[in-house]
Amino acid sequence: MVSFTLHSAIFSALLAVAAITTFTAAAPVAFSNQTSSRLDACGRLGQKNGVDVKYKDVAACYRAIPFDRFAADTTISTVHDLFRDYYVFTDKALAPRLPKPFTSESVDILKQLQTIGLRKYKSDYQFHTDVRYAIDTLRDGHASYDVNCYTNYAFQQHLSLYAPVKKGVQTVRVFTDYKERGYEDCIVDKIDGQPALDHIRQWATKRVTCSHDVNTRLNCALSRQGYYAEDSAFIDEPGEFSVRAYLPDKRYIDYELRCSNKKSSSRPIRLREEWVVFPQSKIQFEDVESYVANVCLSQGGAAPSSAVHGQARPHLRKSAPLIKKRDLLHAYDTVETLVPVQKFDDAEKLVAGNATIFYRLKSQPDVGVMVVHTLDANFDEVDTILEGLTAFHSHNVTKVLVDLQGNGGGILSLSSDLTQMLFPNNNTLDASFEVDMRAPETVQRLSALGFNSPYGANYDARAYHDLQVEGAPQYENNDLFMKPVNITRNGRTNQYSERTVLYSTPLSTETLTAVAAFPWTGRRENIRILTDGRCASACGMTAYFWTKVYGIEAYSIGGTKGEDLSMFSFAGASVSTLSDLQDTYSLLKMESPLKEMAYKNQVRFAWLELYGKNRTVPLEYDAELYRPNHRLDYTQRNARSREVMWRQVAGASWK
């Protein structure tokens, strides 16, 4: 077995094959007396017990699973009806072409699913892959299709890549060489025979789902410096091009490198890098039949854990992390971490919480940096934010740079609180969004039982506020759902609720009094935003308010040189799952119109659409609102250090 040296970069442990934990269970599987050569494809994979698994082992097992027409028909029926009646953007996605900075084409998700349902499949793996690809074309981080059956193994390359600009030229370079061969910052001229940047852009255009903007998708595909909250450290993060939660198309990637630090720099270095494979569960199996029974089917076991909002960062582990969702890589298991603390010579750390961390620039001491790396935090994070802002004030900070890079979103109320702490409400609806939902007959029937019920969840009208009444009180009846309006979008007419509002509770008087004393409060000229476009869901809502309502200038970094790059990736904070919806039906003792799917799954969808102030296009598709004031390119220096970025933005903003 090949052994790689562990070092400080995130996911370096993924390359340390010798360090993989051998998975065990309370009662180990007793394999039959068959020899290895007589086992079927999944039997040979299972016999490895998680050790030294190769791409070909996983591919053979996945492709050996028999296609079940009945299960496939049930799957298509359920997913189709879910996206027809509950997914809020089904009609809006039909837009023939979205304006810049978006690059997505028209998507008829219902037609795609119907077409898949009519195909004659022999491969179960291909069927579920096609369903996933169809949902992926929506480019909505709140919409996805995942089944345990084909996410049981993760895949990583030895090289992670980035695309800095040097002397006006953008090239793909090696960000991290996990085998420590000295390839960092070597130029990658070709990938699989194509010019490297073209290859990755094409792959991101086709396979990455984090945004309607292909340049944000490029940022999601490539490596960067990310924040690791457990150790309050900025560390290297491989992008989605280098870490996959689904079986890649082939077992290797070919690279052609050009390295100035090598004696043979005049000659290209050609590498064929095979995928390193890591089990994502401890479930044991001994053949195709037991793999399907134990890993795939809904009976027994747990479904995939709900993915955190947006593009969550992976955690560094000594043993293989458990990647449960493509594009939203989230590792868990209690094992020791190896995280280096990146030391900032020019940034003094003042306060750190679960979602925010506060620095003061030494070279520009009137500038404070508030890093908001997530909004998925407890309600007491507001106290930490106030503590951090107070620390800024006590250190004579008068200008604030808010770093939103890589923020996957989170809790709506924290987004509202954060907005109000910089721009306090004048009235109770200032930090609130107007919204609507799909309201066909299926939703109307569900809402009738959900009204004023502890189990009504998203379909209880009392959770919303009536904009048709002065003061926007909570609904006291079910008119929101029972009196829908017809809206025609892109030639398709459907029923939607009337406009309502996501109400945000105003901050306390004590907090408002405290923030009023700060020199940046309510002053857009004293605040800037830095983003790489990977600012999702509740983060996107925050970025919208700050930039388009209150006029803060934003800097977006990365993407393709000379092209637009969005400030945020998607908005909404309205993600739900098929499982959540089925639970709502069950708790209300109502028969669901959606059939139960055979495979353990995580099917996510957006059920609520938001609108900008006085806008008619849902925020998810309102491309004009995604444009930043300023664009920055990655360089070999700033891509590896947030501190360099902060000085760059501060210097351009407040000379």
Side-chain angles (χ1 to χ4, degrees):
M1 184 188 304
V2 179
S3 178
F4 306 132
T5 304
L6 285 170
H7 62 95
S8 61
I10 189 168
F11 264 86
S12 60
L14 280 175
L15 283 305
V17 177
I20 296 176
T21 302
T22 300
F23 293 147
T24 57
V29 169
F31 286 97
S32 64
N33 293 326
Q34 298 179 81
T35 63
S36 177
S37 62
R38 293 175 59 193
L39 292 170
D40 65 28
C42 290
R44 291 190 291 274
L45 175 61
Q47 195 174 55
K48 290 198 168 187
N49 207 26
V51 178
D52 197 24
V53 177
K54 304 297 184 185
Y55 174 95
K56 65 179 181 179
D57 301 323
V58 180
C61 176
Y62 283 0
R63 290 166 180 158
I65 295 171
F67 177 67
D68 184 325
R69 170 50 66 183
F70 176 79
D73 288 346
T74 300
T75 295
I76 286 295
S77 171
T78 296
V79 176
H80 174 276
D81 291 355
L82 178 71
F83 279 83
R84 180 194 65 197
D85 290 349
Y86 304 90
Y87 180 63
V88 76
F89 298 123
T90 296
D91 300 337
K92 192 59 189 173
L94 292 166
R97 188 171 183 85
L98 300 175
K100 292 183 178 181
F102 294 167
T103 48
S104 297
E105 302 294 334
S106 174
V107 177
D108 190 337
I109 188 59
L110 301 182
K111 184 176 180 180
Q112 287 193 62
L113 293 170
Q114 289 166 352
T115 300
I116 292 171
L118 294 173
R119 287 181 188 148
K120 294 182 179 180
Y121 285 92
K122 293 183 179 179
S123 167
D124 184 75
Y125 167 74
Q126 191 60 55
F127 166 76
H128 289 283
T129 298
D130 285 354
V131 176
R132 175 169 59 90
Y133 283 168
I135 304 301
D136 285 354
T137 61
L138 293 165
R139 309 301 171 199
D140 179 359
H142 284 152
S144 62
Y145 174 86
D146 300 284
V147 292
N148 283 28
C149 199
Y150 301 116
T151 58
N152 205 41
Y153 294 85
F155 305 84
Q156 167 111 13
Q157 283 283 292
H158 296 115
L159 302 178
S160 70
L161 311 175
Y162 73 128
V165 175
K166 184 176 182 179
K167 296 181 179 180
V169 178
Q170 185 171 26
T171 56
V172 175
R173 293 176 180 263
V174 176
F175 195 68
T176 306
D177 173 13
Y178 292 102
K179 290 182 72 174
E180 296 183 332
R181 295 164 290 186
Y183 291 143
E184 274 83 1
D185 277 320
C186 289
I187 294 174
V188 184
D189 283 323
K190 293 183 179 180
I191 298 176
D192 285 343
Q194 290 183 290
L197 187 58
D198 291 345
H199 181 90
I200 296 176
R201 273 180 59 96
Q202 290 171 18
W203 183 84
T205 299
K206 189 175 182 180
R207 292 287 174 250
V208 179
T209 66
C210 67
S211 173
H212 295 298
D213 177 357
V214 70
N215 284 308
T216 298
R217 299 208 292 272
L218 180 64
N219 278 355
C220 290
L222 295 173
S223 302
R224 59 262 163 180
Q225 280 284 321
Y227 187 71
Y228 186 76
E230 290 187 19
D231 287 312
S232 299
F234 287 94
I235 54 177
D236 295 353
E237 283 187 349
E240 295 174 27
F241 186 79
S242 300
V243 180
R244 315 270 178 95
Y246 274 88
L247 184 73
D249 293 336
K250 57 191 178 93
R251 65 180 175 84
Y252 58 84
I253 294 179
D254 285 331
Y255 302 89
E256 187 172 300
L257 309 183
R258 187 160 32 100
C259 303
S260 60
N261 60 340
K262 299 289 184 181
K263 292 181 180 179
S264 57
S265 60
S266 60
R267 298 193 305 272
I269 299 172
R270 293 182 175 88
L271 300 174
R272 173 161 288 184
E273 300 288 283
E274 296 203 6
W275 292 96
V276 182
V277 185
F278 300 91
Q280 296 302 291
S281 79
K282 300 178 182 180
I283 300 172
Q284 294 192 330
F285 50 90
E286 59 181 356
D287 52 22
V288 168
E289 183 178 359
S290 61
Y291 182 89
V292 172
N294 297 341
V295 178
C296 303
L297 294 180
S298 294
Q299 293 78 14
S305 61
S306 296
V308 295
H309 305 274
Q311 306 90 271
R313 294 178 298 279
H315 294 174
L316 176 64
R317 303 298 183 184
K318 275 187 176 177
S319 59
L322 305 183
I323 301 176
K324 303 304 292 183
K325 174 73 173 65
R326 72 186 188 289
D327 311 334
L328 306 173
L329 305 183
H330 179 61
Y332 66 91
D333 231 0
T334 304
V335 290
E336 184 180 351
T337 60
L338 289 171
V339 181
V341 175
Q342 185 183 104
K343 296 180 179 179
F344 294 147
D345 294 330
D346 190 38
E348 175 188 4
K349 185 167 69 174
L350 303 178
V351 173
N354 294 317
T356 52
I357 184 168
F358 296 79
Y359 295 90
R360 183 180 66 96
L361 295 183
K362 297 176 184 177
S363 60
Q364 206 164 339
D366 62 338
V367 176
V369 179
M370 176 170 62
V371 179
V372 187
H373 55 86
T374 182
L375 290 170
D376 192 15
N378 296 328
F379 296 108
D380 60 5
E381 188 70 16
V382 172
D383 297 332
T384 300
I385 297 170
L386 182 57
E387 180 186 356
L389 295 176
T390 302
F392 279 170
H393 190 40
S394 66
H395 284 78
N396 299 315
V397 165
T398 59
K399 304 173 184 69
V400 176
L401 169 61
V402 185
D403 187 344
L404 297 174
Q405 295 179 85
N407 187 313
I411 300 172
L412 174 62
S413 60
L414 185 54
S415 168
S416 173
D417 291 340
L418 192 57
T419 298
Q420 293 180 65
M421 294 184 91
L422 296 185
F423 293 89
N425 282 5
N426 290 319
N427 63 68
T428 55
L429 296 182
D430 279 357
S432 298
F433 281 89
E434 290 189 12
V435 302
D436 62 21
M437 296 158 278
R438 290 280 287 112
E441 289 185 5
T442 49
V443 171
Q444 292 175 38
R445 290 194 294 270
L446 177 59
S447 70
L449 284 179
F451 178 70
N452 203 23
S453 166
Y455 309 120
N458 303 329
Y459 304 97
D460 178 6
R462 284 181 58 84
Y464 306 94
H465 290 250
D466 189 350
L467 289 177
Q468 313 307 313
V469 178
E470 185 177 355
Q474 282 183 294
Y475 277 90
E476 296 295 334
N477 55 42
N478 201 30
D479 286 353
L480 176 64
F481 293 105
M482 301 307 291
K483 293 183 178 181
V485 296
N486 289 328
I487 298 179
T488 300
R489 289 177 172 162
N490 303 302
R492 182 182 286 165
T493 302
N494 272 303
Q495 292 179 309
Y496 291 77
S497 73
E498 62 185 10
R499 290 276 190 102
T500 180
V501 68
L502 277 179
Y503 178 76
S504 299
T505 304
L507 290 173
S508 68
T509 302
E510 292 78 9
T511 301
L512 291 173
T513 300
V515 300
F518 302 150
W520 55 82
T521 300
R523 298 182 63 184
R524 64 185 183 184
E525 67 273 17
N526 285 22
I527 306 171
R528 293 292 185 271
I529 291 174
L530 173 62
T531 170
D532 57 0
R534 299 180 307 127
C535 167
S537 193
C539 178
M541 297 163 69
T542 307
Y544 158 74
F545 260 113
W546 284 345
T547 58
K548 301 305 179 182
V549 177
Y550 297 115
I552 297 176
E553 293 187 19
Y555 288 75
S556 290
I557 188 167
T560 304
K561 179 176 176 56
E563 296 187 10
D564 288 323
L565 177 63
S566 299
M567 286 185 293
F568 49 96
S569 48
F570 58 93
S574 67
V575 64
S576 189
T577 68
L578 172 61
S579 177
D580 292 338
L581 182 58
Q582 297 290 51
D583 286 346
T584 300
Y585 275 107
S586 177
L587 291 168
L588 293 174
K589 302 187 184 306
M590 182 179 180
E591 183 178 354
S592 172
L594 303 172
K595 301 174 183 177
E596 290 292 340
M597 287 167 45
Y599 282 0
K600 287 180 278 191
N601 64 81
Q602 179 80 348
V603 184
R604 302 167 77 239
F605 66 99
W607 52 272
L608 190 75
E609 59 187 359
L610 283 63
Y611 295 85
K613 300 289 186 182
N614 303 312
R615 308 291 289 190
T616 58
V617 176
L619 183 58
E620 181 81 15
Y621 284 84
D622 202 347
E624 180 184 336
L625 302 182
Y626 287 67
R627 288 180 175 275
N629 306 91
H630 308 279
R631 280 278 284 106
L632 299 174
D633 292 321
Y634 280 129
T635 67
Q636 290 173 263
R637 291 192 65 223
N638 68 21
R640 296 182 181 279
S641 174
R642 293 285 185 96
E643 178 187 19
V644 174
M645 293 185 201
W646 299 339
R647 289 201 305 267
Q648 189 176 357
V649 175
S653 301
W654 304 296
K655 296 178 181 178

